[in-house]
């Protein structure tokens, strides 16, 4: 019987499938790049930045000196095993200065359709040659 090549083995049998989570990070406008850079260095393949606006009224914001209520909303898909390091970084940045304060939370990702989608989101596209 001929020996199986790596390309002949289904991806999900050759590489352990790891759980993934959606990470939402909300910070002041212009501060999202700090988090984008760190997430990229930790192999987060998909990141989306949306513009948001704080929920408090503009009059109250002016009284409190919070003229700019714009927010960066960073949505990322992260492997669950990489989250502790990323969440530690987020907490460190939030505690570093008032400019970097925000909110971050995760949502479990229950399913993905297709091996190619998983490979992309988990940064596994080059894990197996020929797959």
């Amino acid at each position: 019987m001929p020996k199986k090549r790596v390309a002949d083995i289904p991806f999900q049998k050759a590489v352990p499938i790891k759980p993934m989570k959606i990470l939402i990070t909300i910070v002041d406008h212009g501060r999202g790049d700090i988090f984008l850079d760190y997430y990229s260095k930790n192999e987060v393949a998909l990141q989306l930045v949306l513009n948001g606006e704080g929920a408090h009224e503009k009059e109250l914001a002016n009284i409190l000196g919070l003229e700019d209520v714009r927010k960066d909303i960073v949505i990322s898909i992260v492997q669950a095993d990489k989250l502790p390091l990323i969440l530690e970084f987020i907490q460190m940045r939030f505690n570093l200065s008032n400019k970097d304060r925000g909110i971050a939370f995760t949502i479990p990702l229950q399913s993905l359709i297709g091996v190619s989608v998983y490979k992309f989101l988990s940064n596994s596209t080059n894990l197996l040659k020929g797959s």
Side-chain angles (χ1 to χ4, degrees):
M1 182 173 210
K3 191 175 180 181
K4 283 191 175 186
R5 298 176 311 155
V6 173
D8 295 336
I9 301 170
F11 178 82
Q12 60 271 24
K13 291 190 178 180
V15 175
I17 303 296
K18 299 176 183 176
M20 309 212 46
K21 292 194 176 190
I22 300 170
L23 171 64
I24 311 287
T25 312
I26 303 171
V27 293
D28 286 340
H29 179 67
R31 306 305 286 179
D33 290 342
I34 295 166
F35 298 92
L36 287 173
D37 291 341
Y38 186 78
Y39 299 165
S40 292
K41 290 175 185 171
N42 284 279
E43 299 180 5
V44 176
L46 179 68
Q47 301 177 64
L48 173 67
V49 180
L50 304 173
N51 293 320
E53 191 171 303
H56 51 278
E57 294 183 28
K58 293 191 187 275
E59 289 178 25
L60 178 60
N62 287 335
I63 292 170
L64 297 173
L66 305 170
E67 291 85 22
D68 191 3
V69 294
R70 296 176 300 160
K71 302 289 179 193
D72 287 347
I73 303 168
V74 181
I75 302 172
S76 312
I77 308 292
V78 182
Q79 288 183 22
D81 62 344
K82 295 181 188 284
L83 266 173
L85 186 62
I86 290 172
L87 292 173
E88 186 178 307
F89 171 80
I90 292 170
Q91 184 174 6
M92 183 272 300
R93 288 301 304 193
F94 285 178
N95 291 332
L96 192 61
S97 83
N98 287 338
K99 290 182 180 182
D100 286 338
R101 295 235 168 130
I103 185 170
F105 57 93
T106 62
I107 303 168
L109 193 56
Q110 296 299 319
S111 64
L112 292 171
I113 297 176
V115 173
S116 296
V117 172
Y118 178 80
K119 283 180 179 181
F120 172 74
L121 292 176
S122 65
N123 247 352
S124 316
T125 52
N126 294 325
L127 220 54
L128 294 176
K129 291 185 179 180
S131 61

